[in-house]
Amino acid sequence: MTTVRTATPSTARAINDRLALNLLLDQGPLTATELRDLTGLSRPTVADLLERLQRTGLVAVVGERGEQRRGPNARLYALVASRAHLAAIDVRAGGVSLVVADLTGHTLASAELAVEGRGDAGTAERIVRTLRETAGRAGVDRLHTVAVGAPGLVAPATGRLYSTGALPSWHAELLTALEALPGTEVILENEVNLAGRAEYRIGVARGQQTFVLIWLGHSVGAAVILDGRLRRGASGGTGEICFLPVPGTAGLPSAAGCEGGFHGLVGSAAVCGLARAHGLPAGPADDAAAAEAVVRTALGACGEGEPGGPFLDELAERIAVGASAVCVVLDPGCVVLGGEVGRAGGAELAGRVERRLAGLSPLRTEVRAGTAGGGAVLAGAVLTAGDAVRRDLFGEP
């Protein structure tokens, strides 16, 4: 016997409120008539929910629609963007980038703070002070949620950060310092996972329920989205493909280092070394910025007899080797190339990788260049913080 459960009036009201709030978030100001058309709810139900949401301070009248249609039905209702504020922080070895945003995710202020060497005992406190000052410039005195993207593994059971390498101590100390902010929820996530969320929600993988983002920067990592869900694994290590054993490296990776793994093939130092071997100039730092610059240089030197084409061919071959291992295990159907190198290579590099991947794997896989941009980690952090705010304010399940 099947038991049919009917929603209680309070549950129905909560569902209708969430529906209206999400429409206002996605589409901007709407009239009551437009809300009725979009939701299919009755006139009294929409009037009731708008009155209720105005009392809670989540919605306000911001104007009218149409000069010929005066009156209640022409009033424009919008989310009160200042109802809550959030922040996003992208943590790197050499410092942080951060933004402060309103309820809609609109950036109000931003800042960058460089950290020399491995930092010192006051580094975490300086970053938090910078965050407070940045919020203050935007007139924000309280942050509802702060989302932090950092390299390393985030344990699903505890939400704590631990490293597969030698990250500076201030990375972990920053989380503790942020958690001391009064009334603020702090969310920690792996940086590549945040970039994957950005591509899924606002980037090239929008509407793609299953795909893998391969991040090509200083090192290499992956974000795995299967059936619309980010996968982390038992220890938070899903996507640590820098440790993937591949042909072409000097040896094998170890539990203590990824130099012999995929990292040694397509990390920034390897990309710069490959460029020099092809006669292309590469910056001495061998960092992500240098690798990005040399890929852009190669794209401009692809004529007959020029070194750009052969360099991009060999780089694509290297990327395809690691991508094929991911594809034959997960069969994502779509691979997105992100990070500084993926962004610089664009559609040209993605196309070369796709062609080489087709020769290595029997599974048909489309390769796309990421479009979430250089701020993909921050964009993903803003989306993550916004989701948390809405769960609290909108009553999201």
Side-chain angles (χ1 to χ4, degrees), residues 13-14 17-18 21 24 48-60 78-84 103 392-395:
R13 283 194 296 270
D17 288 355
R18 287 197 299 269
L21 287 166
L24 291 171
D48 179 59
L49 73 84
L50 285 172
E51 181 182 352
R52 186 166 55 251
L53 293 175
Q54 287 179 87
R55 288 199 305 269
T56 65
L58 283 169
V59 169
L79 282 179
V80 178
S82 60
R83 178 66 172 75
L103 177 59
D392 183 25
L393 298 184
F394 294 8

PDB file of all heavy atoms in Angstrom, residues 13-14 17-18 21 24 48-60 78-84 103 392-395:
ATOM      1  N   ARG A  13       3.914  26.940   1.739  1.00  0.00           N
ATOM      2  CA  ARG A  13       4.342  28.346   1.728  1.00  0.00           C
ATOM      3  C   ARG A  13       5.855  28.450   1.563  1.00  0.00           C
ATOM      4  O   ARG A  13       6.356  29.293   0.815  1.00  0.00           O
ATOM      5  CB  ARG A  13       3.895  29.054   3.015  1.00  0.00           C
ATOM      6  CG  ARG A  13       2.419  29.416   3.046  1.00  0.00           C
ATOM      7  CD  ARG A  13       2.116  30.388   4.151  1.00  0.00           C
ATOM      8  NE  ARG A  13       2.363  29.807   5.474  1.00  0.00           N
ATOM      9  CZ  ARG A  13       1.465  29.140   6.191  1.00  0.00           C
ATOM     10  NH1 ARG A  13       0.233  28.964   5.691  1.00  0.00           N
ATOM     11  NH2 ARG A  13       1.756  28.650   7.373  1.00  0.00           N
ATOM     12  N   ALA A  14       6.597  27.590   2.271  1.00  0.00           N
ATOM     13  CA  ALA A  14       8.058  27.625   2.181  1.00  0.00           C
ATOM     14  C   ALA A  14       8.526  27.292   0.762  1.00  0.00           C
ATOM     15  O   ALA A  14       9.450  27.922   0.234  1.00  0.00           O
ATOM     16  CB  ALA A  14       8.662  26.654   3.186  1.00  0.00           C
ATOM     17  N   ASP A  17       7.744  30.266  -1.469  1.00  0.00           N
ATOM     18  CA  ASP A  17       8.674  31.366  -1.192  1.00  0.00           C
ATOM     19  C   ASP A  17      10.017  31.118  -1.865  1.00  0.00           C
ATOM     20  O   ASP A  17      10.598  32.015  -2.483  1.00  0.00           O
ATOM     21  CB  ASP A  17       8.882  31.530   0.316  1.00  0.00           C
ATOM     22  CG  ASP A  17       7.660  32.113   1.016  1.00  0.00           C
ATOM     23  OD1 ASP A  17       6.696  32.473   0.317  1.00  0.00           O
ATOM     24  OD2 ASP A  17       7.676  32.207   2.259  1.00  0.00           O
ATOM     25  N   ARG A  18      10.544  29.885  -1.737  1.00  0.00           N
ATOM     26  CA  ARG A  18      11.830  29.563  -2.360  1.00  0.00           C
ATOM     27  C   ARG A  18      11.753  29.709  -3.875  1.00  0.00           C
ATOM     28  O   ARG A  18      12.679  30.207  -4.515  1.00  0.00           O
ATOM     29  CB  ARG A  18      12.256  28.136  -2.008  1.00  0.00           C
ATOM     30  CG  ARG A  18      12.733  27.963  -0.580  1.00  0.00           C
ATOM     31  CD  ARG A  18      13.511  26.675  -0.433  1.00  0.00           C
ATOM     32  NE  ARG A  18      12.736  25.481  -0.735  1.00  0.00           N
ATOM     33  CZ  ARG A  18      12.042  24.789   0.155  1.00  0.00           C
ATOM     34  NH1 ARG A  18      12.011  25.180   1.419  1.00  0.00           N
ATOM     35  NH2 ARG A  18      11.375  23.716  -0.195  1.00  0.00           N
ATOM     36  N   LEU A  21      11.777  33.456  -4.689  1.00  0.00           N
ATOM     37  CA  LEU A  21      13.075  34.057  -4.392  1.00  0.00           C
ATOM     38  C   LEU A  21      14.129  33.655  -5.424  1.00  0.00           C
ATOM     39  O   LEU A  21      14.934  34.489  -5.861  1.00  0.00           O
ATOM     40  CB  LEU A  21      13.532  33.654  -2.988  1.00  0.00           C
ATOM     41  CG  LEU A  21      12.779  34.320  -1.830  1.00  0.00           C
ATOM     42  CD1 LEU A  21      13.068  33.601  -0.524  1.00  0.00           C
ATOM     43  CD2 LEU A  21      13.147  35.800  -1.725  1.00  0.00           C
ATOM     44  N   LEU A  24      13.546  35.595  -8.615  1.00  0.00           N
ATOM     45  CA  LEU A  24      14.024  36.974  -8.483  1.00  0.00           C
ATOM     46  C   LEU A  24      15.547  37.030  -8.511  1.00  0.00           C
ATOM     47  O   LEU A  24      16.137  37.977  -9.030  1.00  0.00           O
ATOM     48  CB  LEU A  24      13.492  37.584  -7.184  1.00  0.00           C
ATOM     49  CG  LEU A  24      11.983  37.837  -7.136  1.00  0.00           C
ATOM     50  CD1 LEU A  24      11.546  38.222  -5.734  1.00  0.00           C
ATOM     51  CD2 LEU A  24      11.582  38.931  -8.129  1.00  0.00           C
ATOM     52  N   ASP A  48       0.137  36.922  -1.345  1.00  0.00           N
ATOM     53  CA  ASP A  48       0.458  36.540   0.029  1.00  0.00           C
ATOM     54  C   ASP A  48       1.959  36.349   0.216  1.00  0.00           C
ATOM     55  O   ASP A  48       2.550  36.825   1.189  1.00  0.00           O
ATOM     56  CB  ASP A  48      -0.290  35.252   0.380  1.00  0.00           C
ATOM     57  CG  ASP A  48       0.017  34.777   1.792  1.00  0.00           C
ATOM     58  OD1 ASP A  48      -0.242  35.530   2.745  1.00  0.00           O
ATOM     59  OD2 ASP A  48       0.522  33.647   1.939  1.00  0.00           O
ATOM     60  N   LEU A  49       2.615  35.661  -0.718  1.00  0.00           N
ATOM     61  CA  LEU A  49       4.054  35.406  -0.555  1.00  0.00           C
ATOM     62  C   LEU A  49       4.859  36.700  -0.690  1.00  0.00           C
ATOM     63  O   LEU A  49       5.865  36.888   0.003  1.00  0.00           O
ATOM     64  CB  LEU A  49       4.544  34.319  -1.509  1.00  0.00           C
ATOM     65  CG  LEU A  49       4.699  34.578  -3.002  1.00  0.00           C
ATOM     66  CD1 LEU A  49       6.030  35.239  -3.332  1.00  0.00           C
ATOM     67  CD2 LEU A  49       4.608  33.252  -3.764  1.00  0.00           C
ATOM     68  N   LEU A  50       4.444  37.609  -1.565  1.00  0.00           N
ATOM     69  CA  LEU A  50       5.164  38.872  -1.694  1.00  0.00           C
ATOM     70  C   LEU A  50       5.054  39.698  -0.424  1.00  0.00           C
ATOM     71  O   LEU A  50       6.027  40.313   0.027  1.00  0.00           O
ATOM     72  CB  LEU A  50       4.646  39.663  -2.896  1.00  0.00           C
ATOM     73  CG  LEU A  50       5.086  39.144  -4.267  1.00  0.00           C
ATOM     74  CD1 LEU A  50       4.366  39.884  -5.384  1.00  0.00           C
ATOM     75  CD2 LEU A  50       6.597  39.279  -4.438  1.00  0.00           C
ATOM     76  N   GLU A  51       3.872  39.709   0.173  1.00  0.00           N
ATOM     77  CA  GLU A  51       3.706  40.426   1.441  1.00  0.00           C
ATOM     78  C   GLU A  51       4.569  39.803   2.528  1.00  0.00           C
ATOM     79  O   GLU A  51       5.221  40.505   3.315  1.00  0.00           O
ATOM     80  CB  GLU A  51       2.238  40.400   1.857  1.00  0.00           C
ATOM     81  CG  GLU A  51       1.972  41.153   3.161  1.00  0.00           C
ATOM     82  CD  GLU A  51       0.514  41.079   3.580  1.00  0.00           C
ATOM     83  OE1 GLU A  51      -0.315  40.573   2.791  1.00  0.00           O
ATOM     84  OE2 GLU A  51       0.212  41.509   4.717  1.00  0.00           O
ATOM     85  N   ARG A  52       4.606  38.482   2.556  1.00  0.00           N
ATOM     86  CA  ARG A  52       5.391  37.764   3.564  1.00  0.00           C
ATOM     87  C   ARG A  52       6.889  38.025   3.375  1.00  0.00           C
ATOM     88  O   ARG A  52       7.615  38.270   4.353  1.00  0.00           O
ATOM     89  CB  ARG A  52       5.084  36.269   3.470  1.00  0.00           C
ATOM     90  CG  ARG A  52       5.721  35.412   4.539  1.00  0.00           C
ATOM     91  CD  ARG A  52       5.098  34.019   4.571  1.00  0.00           C
ATOM     92  NE  ARG A  52       5.136  33.327   3.294  1.00  0.00           N
ATOM     93  CZ  ARG A  52       4.069  33.099   2.531  1.00  0.00           C
ATOM     94  NH1 ARG A  52       2.864  33.496   2.919  1.00  0.00           N
ATOM     95  NH2 ARG A  52       4.179  32.448   1.384  1.00  0.00           N
ATOM     96  N   LEU A  53       7.359  37.994   2.157  1.00  0.00           N
ATOM     97  CA  LEU A  53       8.778  38.195   1.897  1.00  0.00           C
ATOM     98  C   LEU A  53       9.208  39.637   2.134  1.00  0.00           C
ATOM     99  O   LEU A  53      10.353  39.903   2.508  1.00  0.00           O
ATOM    100  CB  LEU A  53       9.109  37.772   0.461  1.00  0.00           C
ATOM    101  CG  LEU A  53       8.968  36.278   0.167  1.00  0.00           C
ATOM    102  CD1 LEU A  53       9.203  35.990  -1.308  1.00  0.00           C
ATOM    103  CD2 LEU A  53       9.930  35.457   1.021  1.00  0.00           C
ATOM    104  N   GLN A  54       8.294  40.576   1.943  1.00  0.00           N
ATOM    105  CA  GLN A  54       8.615  41.961   2.271  1.00  0.00           C
ATOM    106  C   GLN A  54       8.754  42.152   3.778  1.00  0.00           C
ATOM    107  O   GLN A  54       9.617  42.895   4.247  1.00  0.00           O
ATOM    108  CB  GLN A  54       7.539  42.901   1.717  1.00  0.00           C
ATOM    109  CG  GLN A  54       7.593  43.063   0.197  1.00  0.00           C
ATOM    110  CD  GLN A  54       6.504  43.978  -0.325  1.00  0.00           C
ATOM    111  OE1 GLN A  54       6.663  45.190  -0.388  1.00  0.00           O
ATOM    112  NE2 GLN A  54       5.368  43.389  -0.684  1.00  0.00           N
ATOM    113  N   ARG A  55       7.916  41.453   4.540  1.00  0.00           N
ATOM    114  CA  ARG A  55       8.010  41.556   6.010  1.00  0.00           C
ATOM    115  C   ARG A  55       9.338  41.009   6.517  1.00  0.00           C
ATOM    116  O   ARG A  55       9.883  41.506   7.500  1.00  0.00           O
ATOM    117  CB  ARG A  55       6.852  40.808   6.673  1.00  0.00           C
ATOM    118  CG  ARG A  55       5.496  41.475   6.535  1.00  0.00           C
ATOM    119  CD  ARG A  55       4.527  40.939   7.585  1.00  0.00           C
ATOM    120  NE  ARG A  55       4.395  39.498   7.546  1.00  0.00           N
ATOM    121  CZ  ARG A  55       3.491  38.833   6.837  1.00  0.00           C
ATOM    122  NH1 ARG A  55       2.638  39.508   6.080  1.00  0.00           N
ATOM    123  NH2 ARG A  55       3.437  37.517   6.867  1.00  0.00           N
ATOM    124  N   THR A  56       9.870  39.977   5.859  1.00  0.00           N
ATOM    125  CA  THR A  56      11.143  39.398   6.297  1.00  0.00           C
ATOM    126  C   THR A  56      12.350  40.206   5.837  1.00  0.00           C
ATOM    127  O   THR A  56      13.480  39.908   6.235  1.00  0.00           O
ATOM    128  CB  THR A  56      11.291  37.957   5.761  1.00  0.00           C
ATOM    129  OG1 THR A  56      11.365  37.988   4.327  1.00  0.00           O
ATOM    130  CG2 THR A  56      10.131  37.078   6.211  1.00  0.00           C
ATOM    131  N   GLY A  57      12.125  41.207   4.993  1.00  0.00           N
ATOM    132  CA  GLY A  57      13.223  42.024   4.507  1.00  0.00           C
ATOM    133  C   GLY A  57      13.981  41.426   3.344  1.00  0.00           C
ATOM    134  O   GLY A  57      15.043  41.937   2.975  1.00  0.00           O
ATOM    135  N   LEU A  58      13.461  40.366   2.735  1.00  0.00           N
ATOM    136  CA  LEU A  58      14.142  39.728   1.612  1.00  0.00           C
ATOM    137  C   LEU A  58      13.750  40.332   0.268  1.00  0.00           C
ATOM    138  O   LEU A  58      14.505  40.244  -0.700  1.00  0.00           O
ATOM    139  CB  LEU A  58      13.846  38.225   1.594  1.00  0.00           C
ATOM    140  CG  LEU A  58      14.601  37.375   2.615  1.00  0.00           C
ATOM    141  CD1 LEU A  58      14.021  35.969   2.676  1.00  0.00           C
ATOM    142  CD2 LEU A  58      16.077  37.318   2.254  1.00  0.00           C
ATOM    143  N   VAL A  59      12.568  40.932   0.204  1.00  0.00           N
ATOM    144  CA  VAL A  59      12.051  41.482  -1.048  1.00  0.00           C
ATOM    145  C   VAL A  59      11.545  42.892  -0.800  1.00  0.00           C
ATOM    146  O   VAL A  59      11.020  43.191   0.280  1.00  0.00           O
ATOM    147  CB  VAL A  59      10.923  40.585  -1.617  1.00  0.00           C
ATOM    148  CG1 VAL A  59      10.190  41.266  -2.770  1.00  0.00           C
ATOM    149  CG2 VAL A  59      11.485  39.246  -2.070  1.00  0.00           C
ATOM    150  N   ALA A  60      11.698  43.754  -1.801  1.00  0.00           N
ATOM    151  CA  ALA A  60      11.208  45.127  -1.707  1.00  0.00           C
ATOM    152  C   ALA A  60      10.707  45.588  -3.066  1.00  0.00           C
ATOM    153  O   ALA A  60      11.101  45.049  -4.108  1.00  0.00           O
ATOM    154  CB  ALA A  60      12.303  46.059  -1.211  1.00  0.00           C
ATOM    155  N   ALA A  78      11.995  43.042  -6.114  1.00  0.00           N
ATOM    156  CA  ALA A  78      13.370  42.563  -6.270  1.00  0.00           C
ATOM    157  C   ALA A  78      13.902  42.072  -4.941  1.00  0.00           C
ATOM    158  O   ALA A  78      13.410  42.458  -3.865  1.00  0.00           O
ATOM    159  CB  ALA A  78      14.267  43.672  -6.806  1.00  0.00           C
ATOM    160  N   LEU A  79      14.902  41.207  -5.015  1.00  0.00           N
ATOM    161  CA  LEU A  79      15.610  40.810  -3.804  1.00  0.00           C
ATOM    162  C   LEU A  79      16.296  42.016  -3.184  1.00  0.00           C
ATOM    163  O   LEU A  79      16.809  42.886  -3.903  1.00  0.00           O
ATOM    164  CB  LEU A  79      16.678  39.764  -4.128  1.00  0.00           C
ATOM    165  CG  LEU A  79      16.250  38.325  -4.358  1.00  0.00           C
ATOM    166  CD1 LEU A  79      17.481  37.486  -4.697  1.00  0.00           C
ATOM    167  CD2 LEU A  79      15.575  37.756  -3.128  1.00  0.00           C
ATOM    168  N   VAL A  80      16.328  42.066  -1.879  1.00  0.00           N
ATOM    169  CA  VAL A  80      17.091  43.093  -1.180  1.00  0.00           C
ATOM    170  C   VAL A  80      18.526  42.577  -1.086  1.00  0.00           C
ATOM    171  O   VAL A  80      18.856  41.745  -0.241  1.00  0.00           O
ATOM    172  CB  VAL A  80      16.509  43.364   0.217  1.00  0.00           C
ATOM    173  CG1 VAL A  80      17.357  44.404   0.953  1.00  0.00           C
ATOM    174  CG2 VAL A  80      15.062  43.834   0.104  1.00  0.00           C
ATOM    175  N   ALA A  81      19.353  43.054  -2.002  1.00  0.00           N
ATOM    176  CA  ALA A  81      20.708  42.504  -2.130  1.00  0.00           C
ATOM    177  C   ALA A  81      21.540  42.708  -0.875  1.00  0.00           C
ATOM    178  O   ALA A  81      22.471  41.939  -0.608  1.00  0.00           O
ATOM    179  CB  ALA A  81      21.413  43.137  -3.322  1.00  0.00           C
ATOM    180  N   SER A  82      21.221  43.731  -0.099  1.00  0.00           N
ATOM    181  CA  SER A  82      21.995  44.025   1.110  1.00  0.00           C
ATOM    182  C   SER A  82      21.517  43.224   2.320  1.00  0.00           C
ATOM    183  O   SER A  82      22.006  43.431   3.424  1.00  0.00           O
ATOM    184  CB  SER A  82      21.916  45.520   1.419  1.00  0.00           C
ATOM    185  OG  SER A  82      20.557  45.915   1.639  1.00  0.00           O
ATOM    186  N   ARG A  83      20.553  42.312   2.106  1.00  0.00           N
ATOM    187  CA  ARG A  83      20.022  41.524   3.231  1.00  0.00           C
ATOM    188  C   ARG A  83      21.111  40.663   3.863  1.00  0.00           C
ATOM    189  O   ARG A  83      21.084  40.368   5.059  1.00  0.00           O
ATOM    190  CB  ARG A  83      18.877  40.645   2.723  1.00  0.00           C
ATOM    191  CG  ARG A  83      18.253  39.735   3.748  1.00  0.00           C
ATOM    192  CD  ARG A  83      17.526  40.526   4.834  1.00  0.00           C
ATOM    193  NE  ARG A  83      16.771  39.651   5.704  1.00  0.00           N
ATOM    194  CZ  ARG A  83      17.308  38.869   6.652  1.00  0.00           C
ATOM    195  NH1 ARG A  83      18.609  38.895   6.842  1.00  0.00           N
ATOM    196  NH2 ARG A  83      16.543  38.099   7.395  1.00  0.00           N
ATOM    197  N   ALA A  84      22.095  40.240   3.073  1.00  0.00           N
ATOM    198  CA  ALA A  84      23.224  39.464   3.597  1.00  0.00           C
ATOM    199  C   ALA A  84      24.404  39.670   2.673  1.00  0.00           C
ATOM    200  O   ALA A  84      24.247  39.951   1.480  1.00  0.00           O
ATOM    201  CB  ALA A  84      22.875  37.986   3.701  1.00  0.00           C
ATOM    202  N   LEU A 103      24.036  39.635  -1.623  1.00  0.00           N
ATOM    203  CA  LEU A 103      23.230  38.417  -1.677  1.00  0.00           C
ATOM    204  C   LEU A 103      23.107  37.856  -3.082  1.00  0.00           C
ATOM    205  O   LEU A 103      23.014  36.647  -3.281  1.00  0.00           O
ATOM    206  CB  LEU A 103      21.835  38.704  -1.101  1.00  0.00           C
ATOM    207  CG  LEU A 103      20.800  37.589  -1.131  1.00  0.00           C
ATOM    208  CD1 LEU A 103      21.286  36.375  -0.360  1.00  0.00           C
ATOM    209  CD2 LEU A 103      19.476  38.084  -0.560  1.00  0.00           C
ATOM    210  N   ASP A 392      20.233  29.245   4.160  1.00  0.00           N
ATOM    211  CA  ASP A 392      19.838  29.825   5.455  1.00  0.00           C
ATOM    212  C   ASP A 392      18.651  30.772   5.302  1.00  0.00           C
ATOM    213  O   ASP A 392      17.625  30.609   5.982  1.00  0.00           O
ATOM    214  CB  ASP A 392      21.035  30.576   6.057  1.00  0.00           C
ATOM    215  CG  ASP A 392      20.721  31.145   7.428  1.00  0.00           C
ATOM    216  OD1 ASP A 392      19.822  30.612   8.115  1.00  0.00           O
ATOM    217  OD2 ASP A 392      21.378  32.117   7.820  1.00  0.00           O
ATOM    218  N   LEU A 393      18.755  31.724   4.386  1.00  0.00           N
ATOM    219  CA  LEU A 393      17.718  32.764   4.276  1.00  0.00           C
ATOM    220  C   LEU A 393      16.483  32.286   3.527  1.00  0.00           C
ATOM    221  O   LEU A 393      15.364  32.688   3.853  1.00  0.00           O
ATOM    222  CB  LEU A 393      18.285  33.992   3.587  1.00  0.00           C
ATOM    223  CG  LEU A 393      19.446  34.708   4.275  1.00  0.00           C
ATOM    224  CD1 LEU A 393      19.827  35.972   3.506  1.00  0.00           C
ATOM    225  CD2 LEU A 393      19.108  35.053   5.717  1.00  0.00           C
ATOM    226  N   PHE A 394      16.672  31.453   2.503  1.00  0.00           N
ATOM    227  CA  PHE A 394      15.547  31.010   1.689  1.00  0.00           C
ATOM    228  C   PHE A 394      14.939  29.713   2.220  1.00  0.00           C
ATOM    229  O   PHE A 394      13.910  29.277   1.722  1.00  0.00           O
ATOM    230  CB  PHE A 394      15.968  30.773   0.247  1.00  0.00           C
ATOM    231  CG  PHE A 394      16.404  31.987  -0.516  1.00  0.00           C
ATOM    232  CD1 PHE A 394      16.587  33.228   0.114  1.00  0.00           C
ATOM    233  CD2 PHE A 394      16.642  31.928  -1.869  1.00  0.00           C
ATOM    234  CE1 PHE A 394      17.007  34.341  -0.590  1.00  0.00           C
ATOM    235  CE2 PHE A 394      17.057  33.029  -2.596  1.00  0.00           C
ATOM    236  CZ  PHE A 394      17.255  34.247  -1.937  1.00  0.00           C
ATOM    237  N   GLY A 395      15.634  29.074   3.171  1.00  0.00           N
ATOM    238  CA  GLY A 395      15.146  27.789   3.641  1.00  0.00           C
ATOM    239  C   GLY A 395      15.356  26.695   2.632  1.00  0.00           C
ATOM    240  O   GLY A 395      14.565  25.745   2.533  1.00  0.00           O
TER     241      GLY A 395
END
